[in-house]
Amino acid sequence: MLAAVTFDCWQTLIADDEATEGAARRLRIAGCRAALERGGFPVPAAAVAAAYDAAGEALASLWASGRDVSTEGQVRLLLTHLEGPLPAELPARLLLDLTAAYAAPVLEALPLPCDGAAEALSWAAARGLRLGLICNTGRTPGRTLRPALARRHLLRYLHACTFSDEHGLRKPDPRLFRATLAALGVGPEASVHVGDDPVADVAGAKRAGLRAVHLRRGAGAPAAADADATIGSLRDLPTVLTVLAGEASP
């Protein structure tokens, strides 16, 4: 039986390229610098960029431990690496302004839908499957990923979205999968997760009791030996889900 399908976000449903990644970085740094200047704390652009990159290294260590932090937490981390005459506690209005500037770039440097994403979601929705998203957010929070997905006409298919920055946890933690399934009202035995990361998506889903489809883009991409199925494109997903649902022979 198959009642629900959950999807990874980045590199599964949407993806950045070098242009959008670079634009998001520039917009985030410029936006934070402008917010600081409006708040009465002018800081050179180079100093904000250096703090942004240093915060990125600290975030990578945090993420490797399976934890995540809110956008405000990321802003506070950036500020700890920023050299300059900043007070120990910023005014609340300035912190809100910084948080908004940090979160906004994805709406200007909009990620591209992955090949076959809309078609796979539409196919699954038309068959009455409950659809969810489980996303390790990185530097783009759920609060702006939702409208970004909507602009790419993908959000309308999703019944539940789980973003790591809103839970303080990252895949492969099984609690993110369980929270999504609880929101969908479906048990793991009737669910399949689809994603490109052998650890975060495949191993994480299996730990939570779901079956897993590995989206392996190219022969050079890491394999996931414990996946229930492997596909090279989301255009292949309907065939695989039909087999996993027991409606066709492999």
Side-chain angles (χ1 to χ4, degrees):
M1 177 185 175
L2 180 62
V5 183
T6 60
F7 291 84
D8 170 48
C9 184
W10 292 108
Q11 318 312 322
T12 297
L13 293 183
I14 57 173
D16 275 327
D17 57 18
E18 288 186 10
T20 54
E21 282 185 352
R25 180 182 184 276
R26 290 191 299 273
L27 288 165
R28 197 168 279 122
I29 290 168
C32 288
R33 179 175 180 266
L36 286 166
E37 187 163 357
R38 286 193 299 272
F41 302 100
V43 179
V48 179
Y52 180 84
D53 292 338
E57 294 180 9
L59 284 169
S61 296
L62 180 74
W63 293 335
S65 73
R67 294 174 293 155
D68 211 338
V69 65
S70 67
T71 305
E72 181 180 320
Q74 292 199 27
V75 167
R76 289 183 181 277
L77 184 60
L78 183 153
L79 293 173
T80 65
H81 292 279
L82 188 61
E83 296 182 3
L86 295 177
E89 186 63 32
L90 290 180
R93 179 65 220 175
L94 176 53
L95 189 58
L96 285 173
D97 201 9
L98 282 165
T99 300
Y102 195 97
V106 70
L107 299 177
E108 292 189 53
L110 204 61
L112 301 170
C114 292
D115 180 53
E119 292 83 356
L121 289 169
S122 176
W123 179 91
R127 279 148 186 81
L129 295 172
R130 300 283 288 169
L131 304 181
L133 181 78
I134 310 174
C135 176
N136 283 350
T137 52
R139 291 183 115 152
T140 302
R143 61 183 278 192
T144 44
L145 274 171
R146 287 183 181 88
L149 288 163
R151 291 187 189 182
R152 289 305 190 190
H153 309 292
L154 302 177
L155 187 68
R156 60 185 174 181
Y157 297 111
L158 300 169
H159 302 100
C161 294
T162 301
F163 296 102
S164 61
D165 69 295
E166 297 173 355
H167 287 258
L169 303 167
R170 287 172 64 84
K171 294 179 294 182
D173 194 306
R175 286 174 286 183
L176 291 180
F177 294 88
R178 292 170 187 150
T180 309
L181 294 183
L184 293 174
V186 179
E189 71 286 347
S191 305
V192 171
H193 180 71
V194 183
D196 70 301
D197 191 298
V199 177
D201 293 308
V202 176
K206 301 290 280 187
R207 283 174 60 192
L210 293 79
R211 288 169 288 176
V213 174
H214 182 212
L215 177 58
R216 188 185 184 197
R217 298 189 183 279
D226 52 345
D228 294 279
T230 299
I231 56 176
S233 167
L234 288 176
R235 295 188 183 279
D236 302 324
L237 187 61
T239 300
V240 167
L241 291 181
T242 299
V243 172
L244 292 177
E247 299 171 11
S249 300

